[in-house]
Amino acid sequence: MKAIVQYRYGSTDVLRYEEVEQPVPAAGEVLVRVLAAGINAYDWHVMRGDPYLARLVAPQQFGFGGPKNRIRGRDFAGRVEAVGPAVTRFRPGDEVYGDLGESDGAFAEFACVPQDGVELKPANLTFAQAAAVPLAGATALQALKDVAPGQHVAINGASGGVGTFAVQIAKARGAEVTGVCSTRNVDLVRSLGADHVVDYTSDDFTLGRYDLVFDLVGNRSLRALRGALKPSGTLLLAGGGVSNGGSVFGPMGLIIKGQVVSKFVRDRVVVFVARQNRETLVALRELIESGQVEPVVDRTFPLSDTAEAIRYVEVEHARAKVVVTV
């Protein structure tokens, strides 16, 4: 089968479109014929081994000279090709979507996935749309699980992959939403249902006060973000940053500060990482099929052009989601 493979850290130049051996499902695994795969910031972080600190704190993903797993990609949508022993929930032909997690391997014609990382895809989505959902949708849904009607939520990075889901999910929970984005994305964020849209190139959203600030960019100081909270408000930190060719801390710098400060301040500072699980995939499917949430796809690229797709995401501030079709 064809796959996107890398053997060392680096820019998109290290990615190879190669013929590799097709995987065989083990007990409890599903073999999926991948028809589309979503691009995440996670992919270029692992591709580059950036920030360098991640190579020490996440050894399950990062090796010394290159990633532990050679085939990139974690979000996928496709059809079940075969099932391993002890798989009872799926059969060949089922249309599915899911997240391979830290094992990666979605940028390929086939991928083996533990059955708990797979779910029937939303019936009203194309495969490309479905592949845009798992990681970004899970991050937004899990992070905003405690949002209550009437709360005022600010989403910094509202036009990005996670942000476009976060705006819709917060609105579905009855929140008043302020989306923060650049000038070119104001109309997009407003179309997703945001009550207020702040263009960060001309206005400072941290001058407002919010029950929850969901930071997906990492472009503001911890002091400024905390200053935007109402008394007893919550600051959620979830990654961010663009590629600058290599960094020691990257967005982890803000996250580390947040972890330290959270022990000494009254407001809640939470470092958030999504958990891969079937329940979240089911909940996302229900939200999508009910019409409350719709994935937004900026561009699609063929599998052979995955390197260009990742470059587009890491340096050109792509809006919403970018997807590879297989």
Side-chain angles (χ1 to χ4, degrees), residues 195-267:
D195 299 285
H196 319 282
V197 183
V198 175
D199 178 352
Y200 69 77
T201 66
S202 58
D203 296 299
D204 184 357
F205 84 95
T206 65
L207 297 178
R209 294 296 177 265
Y210 313 94
D211 297 293
L212 185 147
V213 173
F214 191 14
D215 182 62
L216 299 162
V217 185
N219 62 348
R220 303 305 303 267
S221 70
L222 186 62
R223 179 186 294 272
L225 292 170
R226 288 183 54 230
L229 296 174
K230 294 180 181 179
S232 302
T234 298
L235 170 60
L236 288 176
L237 302 174
V242 295
S243 175
N244 294 310
S247 61
V248 176
F249 294 103
M252 293 181 69
L254 180 63
I255 287 171
I256 292 169
K257 289 178 183 177
Q259 289 175 320
V260 173
V261 168
S262 67
K263 302 179 186 301
F264 303 100
V265 298
R266 182 174 60 182
D267 41 63

Coordinates of all heavy atoms in Angstrom, one line a residue, residues 195-267:
D195 N -21.7 35.0 19.0 CA -22.4 36.2 19.3 C -21.6 37.5 19.1 O -22.2 38.5 18.7 CB -22.9 36.2 20.8 CG -23.8 35.0 21.1 OD1 -24.9 35.0 20.7 OD2 -23.2 34.0 21.7
H196 N -20.3 37.4 19.3 CA -19.4 38.5 19.1 C -18.2 38.0 18.4 O -17.7 36.9 18.7 CB -19.1 39.2 20.4 CG -20.2 39.3 21.4 ND1 -21.2 40.3 21.3 CD2 -20.5 38.6 22.5 CE1 -22.0 40.2 22.3 NE2 -21.7 39.1 23.0
V197 N -17.6 38.8 17.6 CA -16.3 38.4 16.9 C -15.3 39.5 17.1 O -15.6 40.7 16.8 CB -16.5 38.1 15.4 CG1 -15.2 37.6 14.8 CG2 -17.6 37.0 15.2
V198 N -14.2 39.2 17.6 CA -13.1 40.1 17.9 C -12.0 39.9 16.9 O -11.4 38.8 16.8 CB -12.5 40.0 19.3 CG1 -11.3 41.0 19.5 CG2 -13.6 40.4 20.3
D199 N -11.7 40.9 16.1 CA -10.5 40.8 15.1 C -9.3 41.2 15.9 O -9.1 42.4 16.3 CB -10.8 41.8 14.0 CG -9.7 41.9 13.0 OD1 -8.6 41.3 13.2 OD2 -9.8 42.5 11.9
Y200 N -8.4 40.2 16.2 CA -7.3 40.5 17.0 C -6.3 41.5 16.4 O -5.4 42.0 17.1 CB -6.6 39.2 17.4 CG -5.9 38.5 16.3 CD1 -4.6 38.9 15.9 CD2 -6.4 37.3 15.8 CE1 -4.0 38.2 14.9 CE2 -5.7 36.6 14.8 CZ -4.5 37.1 14.3 OH -3.9 36.4 13.3
T201 N -6.4 41.7 15.1 CA -5.4 42.7 14.5 C -5.8 44.1 14.8 O -4.9 45.0 14.6 CB -5.4 42.5 13.0 OG1 -6.7 42.9 12.4 CG2 -5.1 41.1 12.6
S202 N -7.0 44.4 15.3 CA -7.4 45.7 15.7 C -7.9 45.9 17.1 O -8.0 47.0 17.6 CB -8.4 46.2 14.7 OG -9.6 45.4 14.6
D203 N -8.3 44.8 17.7 CA -8.9 44.9 19.0 C -8.3 43.8 20.0 O -7.8 42.8 19.5 CB -10.5 44.7 19.0 CG -11.1 45.8 18.2 OD1 -11.1 46.9 18.6 OD2 -11.8 45.5 17.1
D204 N -8.4 44.1 21.3 CA -7.9 43.2 22.3 C -9.0 42.5 23.1 O -9.7 43.2 23.9 CB -7.0 44.0 23.2 CG -6.3 43.1 24.2 OD1 -6.5 41.9 24.3 OD2 -5.5 43.7 25.0
F205 N -9.2 41.2 22.8 CA -10.3 40.5 23.5 C -10.1 40.4 25.0 O -11.0 40.3 25.8 CB -10.5 39.1 22.9 CG -9.6 38.1 23.4 CD1 -10.1 37.2 24.5 CD2 -8.4 37.9 22.9 CE1 -9.3 36.2 25.0 CE2 -7.5 36.9 23.4 CZ -8.0 36.0 24.5
T206 N -8.8 40.5 25.5 CA -8.6 40.4 26.9 C -9.0 41.6 27.7 O -9.0 41.6 28.9 CB -7.1 40.1 27.2 OG1 -6.3 41.2 26.8 CG2 -6.6 38.9 26.4
L207 N -9.5 42.6 27.0 CA -10.1 43.8 27.8 C -11.5 43.4 28.2 O -12.1 44.2 29.1 CB -10.1 45.0 26.9 CG -8.7 45.5 26.4 CD1 -8.9 46.7 25.5 CD2 -7.8 45.8 27.6
G208 N -12.1 42.4 27.7 CA -13.4 41.9 28.2 C -13.3 41.0 29.4 O -12.1 40.7 29.8
R209 N -14.4 40.5 29.9 CA -14.4 39.6 31.0 C -15.3 38.5 30.7 O -16.4 38.6 30.3 CB -14.9 40.4 32.3 CG -13.9 41.4 32.8 CD -12.6 40.9 33.2 NE -11.6 41.9 33.6 CZ -10.7 42.4 32.7 NH1 -10.7 42.0 31.5 NH2 -9.9 43.4 33.2
Y210 N -14.8 37.3 31.0 CA -15.5 36.0 30.6 C -15.5 35.0 31.7 O -14.6 35.0 32.5 CB -14.7 35.4 29.3 CG -14.4 36.5 28.3 CD1 -13.2 37.1 28.2 CD2 -15.4 36.8 27.3 CE1 -12.9 38.0 27.2 CE2 -15.1 37.7 26.3 CZ -13.9 38.4 26.3 OH -13.6 39.3 25.3
D211 N -16.5 34.1 31.6 CA -16.5 33.0 32.6 C -15.5 32.0 32.2 O -14.9 31.3 33.1 CB -17.9 32.4 32.5 CG -19.0 33.3 33.0 OD1 -19.0 33.7 34.2 OD2 -19.8 33.7 32.2
L212 N -15.2 31.9 30.9 CA -14.2 30.9 30.5 C -13.5 31.4 29.3 O -14.1 32.0 28.3 CB -14.9 29.5 30.1 CG -14.0 28.4 29.7 CD1 -14.6 27.1 30.1 CD2 -13.7 28.3 28.2
V213 N -12.2 31.3 29.3 CA -11.3 31.7 28.1 C -10.7 30.4 27.7 O -10.0 29.7 28.4 CB -10.2 32.7 28.5 CG1 -9.3 32.9 27.3 CG2 -10.9 34.0 28.9
F214 N -10.9 30.0 26.4 CA -10.4 28.8 25.8 C -9.3 29.3 24.8 O -9.6 29.8 23.7 CB -11.5 28.1 25.1 CG -11.1 26.6 24.6 CD1 -10.0 26.0 25.1 CD2 -12.0 26.0 23.8 CE1 -9.7 24.7 24.7 CE2 -11.7 24.7 23.3 CZ -10.5 24.1 23.8
D215 N -8.0 29.1 25.2 CA -6.9 29.6 24.4 C -6.3 28.5 23.6 O -5.8 27.5 24.1 CB -5.8 30.2 25.3 CG -4.7 30.8 24.4 OD1 -5.0 31.7 23.7 OD2 -3.6 30.3 24.5
L216 N -6.4 28.7 22.2 CA -5.9 27.7 21.3 C -4.8 28.2 20.5 O -4.4 27.5 19.5 CB -7.1 27.3 20.3 CG -8.3 26.7 21.0 CD1 -9.5 26.7 20.1 CD2 -8.0 25.2 21.4
V217 N -4.2 29.3 20.8 CA -3.2 30.0 20.0 C -1.9 30.1 20.7 O -0.8 30.0 20.1 CB -3.7 31.4 19.5 CG1 -2.7 32.0 18.5 CG2 -5.1 31.2 18.8
G218 N -1.9 30.5 22.0 CA -0.7 30.7 22.7 C 0.0 32.0 22.3 O 1.2 32.1 22.5
N219 N -0.7 33.0 21.9 CA -0.1 34.2 21.5 C -0.3 35.4 22.4 O 0.1 36.5 22.2 CB -0.7 34.7 20.1 CG -2.2 35.0 20.1 OD1 -2.9 34.6 21.1 ND2 -2.7 35.6 19.1
R220 N -0.9 35.1 23.6 CA -1.0 36.1 24.6 C -0.4 35.6 25.9 O -0.2 34.4 26.2 CB -2.5 36.4 24.9 CG -3.3 36.8 23.7 CD -2.7 38.0 23.0 NE -2.6 39.1 23.9 CZ -3.5 40.1 24.0 NH1 -4.6 40.1 23.3 NH2 -3.3 41.1 24.9
S221 N 0.0 36.6 26.8 CA 0.7 36.2 28.0 C -0.3 35.6 29.0 O -1.5 35.8 28.9 CB 1.3 37.4 28.7 OG 0.3 38.3 29.2
L222 N 0.2 34.8 29.9 CA -0.6 34.2 30.9 C -1.3 35.3 31.7 O -2.5 35.2 32.1 CB 0.2 33.3 31.8 CG -0.6 32.5 32.8 CD1 -1.5 31.5 32.1 CD2 0.4 31.7 33.7
R223 N -0.6 36.4 32.0 CA -1.2 37.5 32.8 C -2.4 38.1 32.1 O -3.4 38.3 32.7 CB -0.1 38.5 33.1 CG -0.6 39.7 33.9 CD 0.4 40.8 33.9 NE 1.5 40.4 34.7 CZ 1.6 40.5 36.0 NH1 0.6 41.0 36.7 NH2 2.7 40.0 36.7
A224 N -2.2 38.3 30.8 CA -3.3 38.9 30.0 C -4.5 38.0 29.9 O -5.7 38.4 30.1 CB -2.9 39.2 28.6
L225 N -4.3 36.7 29.7 CA -5.4 35.7 29.7 C -6.1 35.6 31.0 O -7.4 35.6 31.0 CB -4.8 34.3 29.2 CG -4.3 34.3 27.8 CD1 -3.6 32.9 27.6 CD2 -5.4 34.4 26.8
R226 N -5.4 35.5 32.1 CA -6.0 35.5 33.4 C -6.8 36.7 33.7 O -7.8 36.7 34.4 CB -5.0 35.2 34.5 CG -4.4 33.8 34.5 CD -3.4 33.6 35.6 NE -4.0 33.9 36.9 CZ -3.5 34.8 37.8 NH1 -2.3 35.3 37.6 NH2 -4.1 35.0 38.9
G227 N -6.2 37.9 33.2 CA -6.9 39.2 33.5 C -8.2 39.3 32.8 O -9.0 40.2 33.1
A228 N -8.5 38.4 31.8 CA -9.8 38.5 31.1 C -10.8 37.6 31.7 O -12.0 37.6 31.3 CB -9.6 38.0 29.6
L229 N -10.5 37.0 32.9 CA -11.5 36.2 33.6 C -12.3 36.9 34.6 O -11.8 37.8 35.3 CB -10.8 35.0 34.3 CG -10.0 34.0 33.5 CD1 -9.2 33.1 34.4 CD2 -10.9 33.2 32.5
K230 N -13.6 36.6 34.7 CA -14.4 37.0 35.8 C -13.9 36.3 37.1 O -13.2 35.3 37.0 CB -15.9 36.7 35.5 CG -16.5 37.4 34.3 CD -18.0 36.9 34.2 CE -18.6 37.6 33.0 NZ -20.0 37.2 32.8
P231 N -14.3 36.9 38.2 CA -14.0 36.1 39.5 C -14.4 34.7 39.4 O -15.6 34.4 39.0 CB -14.8 36.9 40.5 CG -14.9 38.3 40.0 CD -15.0 38.1 38.5
S232 N -13.6 33.8 39.8 CA -13.8 32.3 39.7 C -14.0 31.8 38.3 O -14.6 30.7 38.1 CB -15.1 32.0 40.5 OG -15.0 32.4 41.9
G233 N -13.5 32.6 37.3 CA -13.5 32.1 35.9 C -12.4 31.0 35.7 O -11.6 30.7 36.6
T234 N -12.5 30.4 34.5 CA -11.6 29.3 34.1 C -10.8 29.7 32.8 O -11.4 30.1 31.9 CB -12.4 28.0 33.9 OG1 -13.1 27.7 35.1 CG2 -11.5 26.9 33.5
L235 N -9.5 29.4 32.9 CA -8.7 29.6 31.7 C -8.3 28.2 31.2 O -7.7 27.4 32.0 CB -7.4 30.4 32.0 CG -6.3 30.4 30.9 CD1 -6.9 31.0 29.6 CD2 -5.1 31.2 31.4
L236 N -8.6 27.8 30.0 CA -8.3 26.5 29.4 C -7.1 26.8 28.4 O -7.3 27.5 27.4 CB -9.4 25.9 28.7 CG -10.6 25.3 29.5 CD1 -11.7 24.8 28.6 CD2 -10.1 24.2 30.4
L237 N -6.0 26.1 28.6 CA -4.9 26.2 27.7 C -4.8 24.9 26.9 O -4.7 23.8 27.5 CB -3.6 26.4 28.5 CG -3.5 27.7 29.4 CD1 -2.3 27.7 30.2 CD2 -3.7 28.9 28.5
A238 N -4.8 25.0 25.6 CA -4.8 23.8 24.8 C -3.9 24.0 23.5 O -4.3 24.0 22.4 CB -6.2 23.4 24.3
G239 N -2.6 24.1 23.8 CA -1.6 24.1 22.7 C -1.6 25.4 22.0 O -1.7 26.5 22.6
G240 N -1.3 25.4 20.7 CA -1.2 26.6 19.9 C 0.2 26.7 19.3 O 1.0 25.8 19.4
G241 N 0.4 27.8 18.6 CA 1.7 28.1 18.0 C 1.8 27.7 16.5 O 1.0 26.8 16.1
V242 N 2.7 28.3 15.8 CA 3.0 27.9 14.4 C 4.4 27.5 14.3 O 5.2 27.8 15.2 CB 2.6 29.0 13.4 CG1 1.1 29.3 13.4 CG2 3.4 30.3 13.8
S243 N 4.8 26.9 13.2 CA 6.2 26.4 13.1 C 7.1 27.6 12.8 O 6.9 28.4 11.9 CB 6.3 25.4 11.9 OG 7.6 25.1 11.7
N244 N 8.2 27.7 13.6 CA 9.2 28.6 13.4 C 10.6 28.0 13.1 O 11.6 28.5 13.3 CB 9.4 29.6 14.6 CG 8.2 30.4 14.8 OD1 7.7 31.1 13.9 ND2 7.6 30.4 16.0
G245 N 10.5 26.7 12.7 CA 11.7 26.0 12.3 C 12.4 25.3 13.5 O 13.5 24.7 13.3
G246 N 11.8 25.2 14.6 CA 12.3 24.6 15.8 C 12.3 25.4 17.0 O 12.6 26.6 17.0
S247 N 11.9 24.9 18.2 CA 11.9 25.6 19.4 C 12.1 24.7 20.6 O 11.9 23.5 20.5 CB 10.6 26.3 19.6 OG 9.5 25.4 19.6
V248 N 12.6 25.2 21.7 CA 12.8 24.4 22.9 C 11.5 24.1 23.6 O 11.2 23.0 23.9 CB 13.8 25.1 23.8 CG1 13.9 24.3 25.1 CG2 15.2 25.3 23.2
F249 N 10.7 25.2 23.8 CA 9.5 25.0 24.6 C 8.2 25.2 23.7 O 7.2 24.5 24.0 CB 9.4 26.1 25.7 CG 10.5 25.9 26.7 CD1 11.6 26.7 26.8 CD2 10.3 24.9 27.7 CE1 12.6 26.6 27.7 CE2 11.3 24.8 28.7 CZ 12.4 25.6 28.7
G250 N 8.2 26.1 22.7 CA 7.1 26.3 21.9 C 5.9 26.7 22.7 O 6.0 27.4 23.7
P251 N 4.7 26.2 22.4 CA 3.5 26.5 23.2 C 3.6 25.9 24.6 O 2.8 26.2 25.5 CB 2.3 25.9 22.4 CG 3.0 24.9 21.5 CD 4.3 25.4 21.2
M252 N 4.5 24.9 24.8 CA 4.6 24.3 26.1 C 5.1 25.3 27.2 O 4.9 25.1 28.4 CB 5.6 23.1 26.1 CG 5.0 21.9 25.3 SD 6.1 20.5 25.2 CE 6.0 20.0 26.9
G253 N 5.7 26.4 26.7 CA 6.2 27.4 27.7 C 5.0 28.0 28.4 O 5.0 28.1 29.7
L254 N 4.0 28.4 27.7 CA 2.8 28.9 28.3 C 2.1 27.9 29.2 O 1.6 28.2 30.3 CB 1.8 29.5 27.2 CG 0.5 30.1 27.7 CD1 0.7 31.3 28.6 CD2 -0.4 30.4 26.5
I255 N 2.1 26.7 28.7 CA 1.4 25.6 29.4 C 2.1 25.3 30.7 O 1.5 25.1 31.8 CB 1.3 24.3 28.5 CG1 0.3 24.5 27.4 CG2 1.0 23.1 29.3 CD1 0.3 23.5 26.3
I256 N 3.4 25.3 30.7 CA 4.2 25.0 31.9 C 3.9 26.2 32.9 O 3.7 25.9 34.1 CB 5.7 24.9 31.6 CG1 6.0 23.6 30.8 CG2 6.5 24.9 32.9 CD1 7.4 23.5 30.3
K257 N 4.0 27.4 32.5 CA 3.7 28.5 33.4 C 2.3 28.4 34.0 O 2.0 28.6 35.2 CB 3.7 29.8 32.6 CG 5.1 30.2 32.2 CD 5.1 31.6 31.4 CE 6.5 31.9 30.9 NZ 6.5 33.2 30.1
G258 N 1.3 28.0 33.1 CA -0.1 27.8 33.6 C -0.1 26.7 34.7 O -0.9 26.9 35.7
Q259 N 0.6 25.6 34.5 CA 0.6 24.6 35.5 C 1.1 25.0 36.8 O 0.6 24.7 37.9 CB 1.3 23.3 35.0 CG 0.6 22.6 33.9 CD 1.5 21.5 33.3 OE1 2.7 21.6 33.1 NE2 0.9 20.4 33.0
V260 N 2.2 25.8 36.8 CA 2.8 26.3 38.0 C 1.9 27.3 38.7 O 1.6 27.2 39.9 CB 4.2 27.0 37.7 CG1 4.7 27.7 38.9 CG2 5.1 25.9 37.2
V261 N 1.4 28.3 37.9 CA 0.6 29.4 38.5 C -0.7 28.8 39.1 O -1.2 29.3 40.1 CB 0.3 30.4 37.4 CG1 -0.8 31.4 37.8 CG2 1.6 31.2 37.1
S262 N -1.3 27.8 38.4 CA -2.6 27.3 38.9 C -2.6 26.8 40.4 O -3.6 26.8 41.0 CB -3.0 26.1 38.0 OG -2.1 25.0 38.2
K263 N -1.4 26.5 40.9 CA -1.3 26.1 42.3 C -1.4 27.2 43.3 O -1.5 27.0 44.5 CB 0.0 25.3 42.5 CG 0.2 24.1 41.5 CD 1.5 23.4 41.8 CE 1.8 22.3 40.8 NZ 0.8 21.3 40.8
F264 N -1.3 28.5 42.8 CA -1.2 29.6 43.7 C -2.3 30.7 43.5 O -2.2 31.7 44.2 CB 0.2 30.3 43.6 CG 1.3 29.3 43.8 CD1 2.0 28.7 42.7 CD2 1.7 28.9 45.1 CE1 3.0 27.9 42.9 CE2 2.7 28.1 45.3 CZ 3.4 27.5 44.2
V265 N -3.2 30.5 42.5 CA -4.2 31.5 42.3 C -5.6 31.0 42.5 O -5.8 29.8 42.5 CB -4.0 32.1 40.8 CG1 -2.7 32.7 40.6 CG2 -4.3 30.9 39.8
R266 N -6.5 31.9 42.6 CA -7.9 31.6 42.9 C -8.6 31.1 41.7 O -9.4 30.2 41.7 CB -8.6 32.8 43.5 CG -10.1 32.5 43.9 CD -10.7 33.6 44.7 NE -10.7 34.8 43.8 CZ -11.1 36.0 44.3 NH1 -11.6 36.1 45.5 NH2 -11.1 37.0 43.5
D267 N -8.4 31.8 40.5 CA -9.0 31.4 39.3 C -8.4 30.0 38.8 O -7.3 29.7 39.1 CB -9.0 32.4 38.2 CG -7.6 33.1 38.1 OD1 -6.6 32.4 37.8 OD2 -7.5 34.3 38.3

